[in-house]
Amino acid sequence: MQHAVGAPLPPPHQPGNAAAGWPQQAHHPGPPPPPPHAPAPQGPPPHAPGGQASHGRPMPPQAPPPVPQTPGLAWPAPHHAPPPPPRDTTGHIHLPPVAPVTAPPAAEPGAGPTPGTGTATLAVLLIGPAGAGKTTVARYWAHHRRVPTAHISLDDVREWVCAGFADPQSGWNDQSEAQYRLARRTCGFAARNFLANGISCILDDAVFPDRPVVGLGGWKRHVGPGLLPVVLLPGLEIVLERNAERSGNRRLSDEEVAGIHGRMAGWHASGLPIIDNSNYDVETTARVLDEVLARSLTSPPTW
């Protein structure tokens, strides 16, 4: 076949396209056909960014399709799980050991009355028989200090047990003893937690002098060596009168009150500070308590 004069010749190794007059793309052998029953290779979708149209020309990048939304339902944001906690993390507060409290500076001779505990951080155990007013005095003293102070009552913590509460009025047995020990440990942990965070605390309990291991010694183990015990011991007539004004399981029989008061008399030979508040109101008793604690800070009692 002859070509017309002046007609361009097709480039070497590319056969001309007589119908369109355009050079065809160079032919390269493609990959071998897949074996029978094998899935055909998947290429990019026709409209995916960087995909090719059927005629071989690149398509412009397209925006991703919108995420389908359900009316009234927000699409959840991606959630990134927090890293796992260290193995030694238990969720409990690691309390430092409680050291003896720092005593306030001693007053100069002739400076006047004792300034009291001031801003000292301290732990106090107020001991007394039923009807001595220890819970009322402890709460008043804690409310009127110049620094943060907490009041922890053993009777209140014991009554956290609702079903199965072992009421001592029904008789002191193994169950009531176990609940008492549990309440004391709970109070001791709370006191250490307050002290570790710079908050003073005062606890009240009817501790007997003839049971040092489970009484005063137990409180010292649970709270720490800086615990300052003070005994509140009015006369028998006063505690009987105050007990008669109580109600519920806080009210004891006169025989029980007299027996507890008699056992408390053993504190007179213990060396602990004792306050006879028979003729004091709550405010006066709290002020005397603060003065006694100030002296205990400078000269801690031996117990």
Side-chain angles (χ1 to χ4, degrees):
M1 177 183 293
Q2 295 183 356
H3 295 277
V5 178
L9 295 177
H13 309 294
Q14 292 186 359
N17 189 339
W22 293 92
Q24 293 184 350
Q25 299 288 339
H27 177 72
H28 300 283
H37 307 292
Q42 298 294 331
H47 298 288
Q52 298 289 334
S54 59
H55 51 70
R57 296 183 181 180
M59 297 293 294
Q62 300 291 331
V67 179
Q69 299 287 339
T70 303
L73 179 63
W75 193 259
H79 175 71
H80 302 284
R87 290 187 178 182
D88 59 347
T89 300
T90 62
H92 298 287
I93 299 175
H94 298 280
L95 299 179
V98 179
V101 295
T102 304
E108 296 293 335
T114 305
T117 56
T119 59
T121 301
L122 68 165
V124 181
L125 175 63
L126 191 59
I127 303 170
K134 55 186 180 297
T135 301
T136 304
V137 172
R139 184 179 294 113
Y140 185 94
W141 180 82
H143 271 292
H144 291 80
R145 293 200 74 212
R146 291 181 290 171
V147 292
T149 304
H151 170 227
I152 306 173
S153 175
L154 177 72
D155 287 339
D156 291 343
V157 176
R158 284 196 310 109
E159 292 175 358
W160 288 354
V161 179
C162 298
F165 173 70
D167 193 347
Q169 294 188 27
S170 301
W172 191 262
N173 50 37
D174 293 341
Q175 188 65 22
S176 55
E177 177 75 17
Q179 291 186 9
Y180 171 81
R181 292 175 180 267
L182 176 60
R184 187 179 59 203
R185 289 197 301 269
T186 304
C187 293
F189 176 80
R192 292 177 66 89
N193 201 356
F194 282 125
L195 294 173
N197 289 275
I199 300 178
S200 298
C201 61
I202 180 170
L203 308 102
D204 65 82
D205 183 22
V207 179
F208 296 113
D210 53 355
R211 304 187 68 187
V213 177
V214 297
L216 199 56
W219 281 114
K220 186 176 182 179
R221 290 194 308 271
H222 291 300
V223 179
L227 182 65
L228 300 175
V230 178
V231 180
L232 200 64
L233 189 57
L236 177 60
E237 297 78 8
I238 301 299
V239 296
L240 288 173
E241 179 182 347
R242 293 173 180 172
N243 177 73
E245 299 174 355
R246 293 181 170 185
S247 61
N249 59 6
R250 298 291 181 92
R251 181 174 179 175
L252 305 178
S253 65
D254 291 347
E255 292 77 11
E256 290 175 316
V257 173
I260 294 174
H261 187 273
R263 294 177 64 182
M264 290 287 175
W267 288 119
H268 287 286
S270 65
L272 296 184
I274 298 177
I275 301 175
D276 183 355
N277 60 330
S278 300
N279 300 317
Y280 296 160
D281 57 10
V282 175
E283 181 180 358
T284 304
T285 307
R287 179 177 55 80
V288 174
L289 171 64
D290 199 61
E291 295 173 357
V292 169
L293 291 172
R295 291 194 295 267
S296 296
L297 287 174
T298 57
S299 300
T302 302
W303 54 285

